[in-house]
Amino acid sequence: STILLLSSRGGSKYSDFSPFEVKSLSLASCTRRLYRVLDDHQVKKDEGHAETEETEEEMGKRFVATAFLDGILETATLYGISFRLNNDTLQNEDRTLLQNFVTETFSSFLSHTRLVLFEETAASEDQMDSPESEEPDLEGESLTVSSALTCLLRSVRELASGLALPEVGLDLEAASSLVDQTVELTESLVRRRVARKFEYLRLDVVVECIRPFADNAINSDP
C-alpha cells in the first residue's frame, strides 16, 4: 500500500492506470489490510483474559481495536502528505477519496465495536438468566463496559484530532462527525445498562420485599 501511494506521484511505472485509479487502488489495498486487523481483533480479544488480571486500560483495549484506528490515521497521513499541491492543499478529487476512505473504514470499525460490546453484554445476560446463576455481577459488567467506552472515546478523539491536522487535509466537519457517531454509540450502550440495572432492581424488590410479605400472609393463621 505504501509503495502504491508513493509511486502514484510519479506515474511512469504505472502508466496503465490513471492517477485517480492508482489512488483508488492504493486506498482499497489499505482498506483490505485494515479489515484483517478487525478479523484478528475478533479472534484475539479473549486471549490472556482468564490467566492474568487486567488493568482498567488493558480491559478497555481488549474490546476496542485501537490498532485499526492507528491504521486509518497512518494511511490518511501518508495520503495527505503524498498528494499535496504546491500550495499545500489537496485537490477536491483527492480530498473526496480520502474522506470516502475514512468514512467507510470508520463505519466498519464502529459496527465491529458495537457487535463486540453487545456480545459481551448479551453473554452476561445469558449467564444471569441461567437457573444456576448467582447474584448478577452488575458492578463487574459496568467496569468492563465503562473501560471499553472510555478507551473508545479517547481513541476516536485522538483519531479525529490527527485527521484534522493540516498535513492530513481531511475536512474538520468530517473529522468531528467521527466523534459524534461514537458518542451516539456510547449513549445507546449506557441507556441499555441503566435499563438493565432498573430491571434487576425491580426483581430485587419483588424477591426481597413483596414475596416475603405474600408468603407471610399465606402462611399466617386465618
Side-chain angles (χ1 to χ4, degrees):
S1 299
T2 300
I3 295 174
L4 280 172
L5 282 170
L6 294 177
S7 63
S8 62
R9 301 180 67 184
S12 58
K13 187 177 179 180
Y14 297 90
S15 56
D16 291 341
F17 299 95
S18 68
F20 178 83
E21 289 173 328
V22 172
K23 296 170 188 176
S24 299
L25 289 171
S26 302
L27 291 177
S29 176
C30 292
T31 300
R32 288 193 295 273
R33 177 179 63 86
L34 287 173
Y35 285 165
R36 288 197 294 271
V37 173
L38 286 186
D39 293 338
D40 291 341
H41 179 260
Q42 180 68 31
V43 172
K44 297 178 180 179
K45 70 182 180 69
D46 293 326
E47 288 186 358
H49 173 52
E51 299 179 0
T52 60
E53 184 175 350
E54 294 174 306
T55 65
E56 187 172 345
E57 181 177 359
E58 290 171 340
M59 188 184 302
K61 288 184 177 180
R62 181 160 58 91
F63 291 96
V64 180
T66 55
F68 187 89
L69 298 180
D70 293 340
I72 293 178
L73 183 56
E74 177 185 350
T75 302
T77 301
L78 178 59
Y79 184 93
I81 293 175
S82 300
F83 301 127
R84 278 189 185 284
L85 298 175
N86 295 330
N87 59 356
D88 288 336
T89 60
L90 287 174
Q91 298 183 42
N92 290 335
E93 173 186 279
D94 295 331
R95 185 176 289 106
T96 298
L97 281 175
L98 177 59
Q99 184 166 331
N100 289 342
F101 163 77
V102 172
T103 299
E104 177 185 348
T105 53
F106 186 76
S107 176
S108 298
F109 163 79
L110 216 56
S111 297
H112 170 83
T113 305
R114 181 185 294 107
L115 177 61
V116 167
L117 293 177
F118 278 5
E119 285 179 345
E120 176 66 16
T121 55
S124 299
E125 290 174 359
D126 291 342
Q127 183 179 5
M128 293 172 187
D129 292 338
S130 173
E132 295 82 11
S133 64
E134 299 178 355
E135 184 76 12
D137 185 15
L138 296 179
E139 293 302 323
E141 182 195 345
S142 295
L143 178 60
T144 299
V145 177
S146 296
S147 300
L149 294 182
T150 298
C151 179
L152 175 63
L153 280 171
R154 182 178 64 249
S155 300
V156 172
R157 287 193 178 108
E158 291 174 355
L159 170 65
S161 298
L163 292 174
L165 292 175
E167 53 265 32
V168 178
L170 188 69
D171 182 76
L172 181 59
E173 184 177 350
S176 299
S177 70
L178 305 184
V179 179
D180 294 338
Q181 294 175 57
T182 306
V183 170
E184 290 180 6
L185 172 59
T186 58
E187 288 179 347
S188 67
L189 288 169
V190 169
R191 286 194 297 268
R192 178 187 176 93
R193 287 170 53 202
V194 170
R196 290 185 63 245
K197 283 189 175 183
F198 274 108
E199 178 182 347
Y200 284 107
L201 283 174
R202 289 194 296 267
L203 180 60
D204 285 342
V205 170
V206 172
V207 173
E208 301 296 334
C209 301
I210 299 178
R211 181 174 177 178
F213 177 81
D215 290 342
N216 184 61
I218 292 173
N219 297 327
S220 62
D221 295 332

